[in-house]
Amino acid sequence: MSNFNYPLNFLFKISTFHNDFTIKDSEDRTLFYVRQKLFKLKDEIMIFSDESRSEQQYGIKADRWLDFNANYTFTDTRTTETIGKVGRKGMRSIWKANYNALDIDGLEDYTIKEDNGWVKVGDSFLGEIPILNILTGYVFNPSYTMYDKEGNKILQLKKKPSFGRKFTLDKLADINPKDETRLILCFMMMILLERERG
């Protein structure tokens, strides 16, 4: 799938035990329904075409157990082919989130960087104060930018003021159509990991 109508909206469900979210385009059409399997030692994500979950399009699996440096492999479930990976940059991600996007040959071709580490600090600090902690989702809204190998900004994911439920993905430059779905999968996995971190 390519030629997405941006911005894309990520909306997390709050009425489920699963870490589910829907991705819709600018015309409010559902593109993906993302479900994270719970109680797995290795993260496993299923991406469906819609909320009916009748057609799985992609799968994402971690390459190791509960590891800060795990890589996550993307598979096209219709062809069973691997289409790429994303991995967190270990120690660099303690202050600001850093992820590598890898192509089918395992070569890094894009990176995702959190734009401002202080947002996370402010969110953690305010989150410890009774009553005020309910405001963190409206006051602190992180953003994450994807860069190509030349340092050009390609995509940017921003949290919208909400209780951690809404994110918007904007396209900042032209993207090679053969990479586009893989790069959106990178953001799917990244946002699940970042929400787990708080």
Side-chain angles (χ1 to χ4, degrees):
M1 180 182 269
S2 59
N3 299 318
F4 298 96
N5 294 321
Y6 292 87
L8 306 185
N9 298 298
F10 293 40
L11 179 61
F12 281 82
K13 298 187 79 167
I14 57 173
S15 59
T16 176
F17 289 112
H18 291 270
N19 208 3
D20 293 7
F21 64 96
T22 304
I23 299 179
K24 297 188 176 188
D25 67 9
S26 61
E27 297 176 5
D28 205 38
R29 290 179 299 201
T30 299
L31 303 176
F32 302 107
Y33 183 77
V34 182
R35 167 160 281 196
Q36 183 175 25
K37 287 189 175 181
L38 300 179
F39 312 117
K40 289 277 191 178
L41 291 175
K42 290 184 181 180
D43 281 321
E44 187 172 347
I45 317 300
M46 299 173 294
I47 296 101
F48 301 93
S49 55
D50 57 39
E51 292 191 37
S52 71
R53 304 198 309 272
S54 59
E55 180 189 356
Q56 186 176 349
Q57 295 181 313
Y58 302 98
I60 306 175
K61 287 187 180 180
D63 64 354
R64 63 192 82 174
W65 290 4
L66 307 173
D67 192 303
F68 199 62
N69 293 306
N71 284 326
Y72 300 86
T73 300
F74 310 140
T75 303
D76 185 327
T77 54
R78 294 155 294 188
T79 64
T80 68
E81 293 179 354
T82 296
I83 59 172
K85 296 180 181 182
V86 68
R88 185 162 40 196
K89 289 185 177 178
M91 295 302 291
R92 287 190 193 177
S93 290
I94 291 176
W95 167 241
K96 292 199 309 186
N98 279 268
Y99 291 81
N100 293 330
L102 310 172
D103 65 16
I104 58 173
D105 298 315
L107 301 175
E108 179 185 328
D109 53 0
Y110 297 90
T111 57
I112 302 173
K113 297 179 182 179
E114 187 172 1
D115 295 324
N116 185 350
W118 286 108
V119 172
K120 191 183 303 171
V121 173
D123 183 60
S124 297
F125 179 74
L126 191 62
E128 296 299 318
I129 302 172
I131 301 174
L132 292 180
N133 59 4
I134 63 173
L135 301 175
T136 60
Y138 286 90
V139 177
F140 297 104
N141 297 296
S143 62
Y144 308 87
T145 302
M146 177 175 277
Y147 300 84
D148 65 14
K149 287 188 288 189
E150 286 73 43
N152 301 308
K153 295 180 179 181
I154 304 298
L155 293 164
Q156 186 176 60
L157 183 73
K158 291 182 178 179
K159 182 181 169 295
K160 308 302 285 183
S162 65
F163 290 112
R165 295 181 57 223
K166 298 177 183 177
F167 298 80
T168 299
L169 183 65
D170 285 296
K171 184 164 78 168
L172 307 179
D174 289 337
I175 303 171
N176 187 330
K178 72 179 181 64
D179 292 338
E180 194 165 13
T181 297
R182 175 170 62 94
L183 301 185
I184 293 170
L185 290 169
C186 289
F187 277 105
M188 290 180 196
M189 191 66 236
M190 184 214 73
I191 204 60
L192 286 169
L193 293 169
E194 291 305 304
R195 278 171 57 87
E196 286 176 2
R197 293 176 67 197

